[in-house]
Amino acid sequence: MEIIRYILFTQVFIAFFVAGGVFFKSRHLRSTTLSLLIALVGFHILLFLYGSGSLAFLHPEFRSWFYFEVAFLFGPLLFIHLQCVIYNKKKLKVIDILHLIPILIFWIGYGDVLLMDGKLRGEYINENFINRTMLWNYFLAFQMVIYALGCSFFLYLKRFELTKKQKNYTLFMVLAYVCSALLISYLTHFANNWRDFASYYLILTLFIFGVGYLLFKNPDFLKQIRKKYFGSNLSENDMQRIASKIDTTFTKDLLFLDSGLSIQKLGKILDEKPHHVSQTFSEHISESFNDYVNKHRIEIAKKRLHDSAYRNYKIVAIALESGFNNKVTFYKAFTKFSNQTPSAFRKLKKSE
C-alpha cells in the first residue's frame, strides 16, 4: 500500500504540472475545462491520500471537505469539454449551472456534518458512516454513471462530425471516465475501507498520463484542433460560399430527404472539406447540422400532413418519407420546431 501511496503522491505533482501547461497554452474554454479537470483529479488524489492516512487523525479539520464536491465536477467538466472540442463552445451558458445541482443536493443533505468541528466531525462520520456518509457515496457513484452514459451517448451522436484526431482524443477521454465511473460504483458497494479505493485512483493517474502523453507527443495538439477544425483559416467569404451551396442543395435537390445524410456525405456532395462545412454551420449559419437538416425535414413533413395525397399515410410513413429514421426522432423534432405534435398538426387541418 505504501508504494502505491508514493506513486499517487507523485501523480499529484504531475497532474498540477500538466494542468498548468494546458491552461497557459491556450486561454479558451476548451483548454480551461481540460486544465481544471486534470487539476481536480490531482486534488482529489491528494484528498484521498489525506483521508486514508494518519494525517486525517492528526489534523481532522479538513476531513470530508471538498471530497464529494470535487468528484461531482468531473462529469460536468468532461461534458462541457466535449462540447468545446466537438462544436466549439466558447463560453458557459446559464443552463450550465444545472450541472451544480448534485453539489447543492449534497450540501443540503450533508451540510450539517461539514459544518461540525473537525474532531467532532471525524467521530460522527465513524459512528454514522453507514446511515449517512455511505448514502452520499452511492449518490456520487450514481451521478458518475449518469454522466458516463451521457458523455458516451453524446459522443456517439456526434461521431460523424469528428476528424480522426478528435475522435481518438474524445474517445480516450470518455473511456477513461467510463472506467472510473464503473470502478467507483463497484468499490462503493464492495470496498471495506478507503484504502481499497487505491485502484480507482490508479485509474485516474492513467488519465493524467494519457493527456500528458498526447501533449508530449503533439505539443500543438490543442492549437491544431482549433486551427484545423474551428480556426480562422476559413474566411467569411468562403463560409458564405459554402452556405450558399448548402442552401441550393437543400432547396433544389432536397438532399435532406436522405436519412443517412451526414457532415461527411454533405462535404463530398459539395466538394468541400467536412470540417469546413461544420465550421460554416457553427459560425456562419449559426445552427447545428442536425437542427438545420431536421428543420427542412419538418417543413416538408408539414406539407405532406396537410396534403390530401398523403391523407391515407400513417404519420410514421410520412416521417420516413421526410428523411427521418424513426417515429421517435420525428416526433421530437416536430415538437421542437412546431410546438405541437404531428397528430395535433394533422387534426388541426381536418377541423378547418
Side-chain angles (χ1 to χ4, degrees), residues 238-250:
D238 287 332
M239 286 190 283
Q240 188 173 354
R241 173 180 55 79
I242 295 174
S244 178
K245 291 171 71 174
I246 293 173
D247 181 66
T248 300
T249 305
F250 273 59

Side-chain angles (χ1 to χ4, degrees), residues 1-14 45 48-49 52 198 202 205:
M1 179 64 187
E2 285 303 314
I3 189 171
I4 294 179
R5 292 179 66 84
Y6 286 125
I7 293 174
L8 293 177
F9 192 71
T10 302
Q11 290 311 303
V12 172
F13 290 97
I14 295 177
I45 295 174
F48 165 73
L49 293 173
S52 61
L202 286 176
T205 62

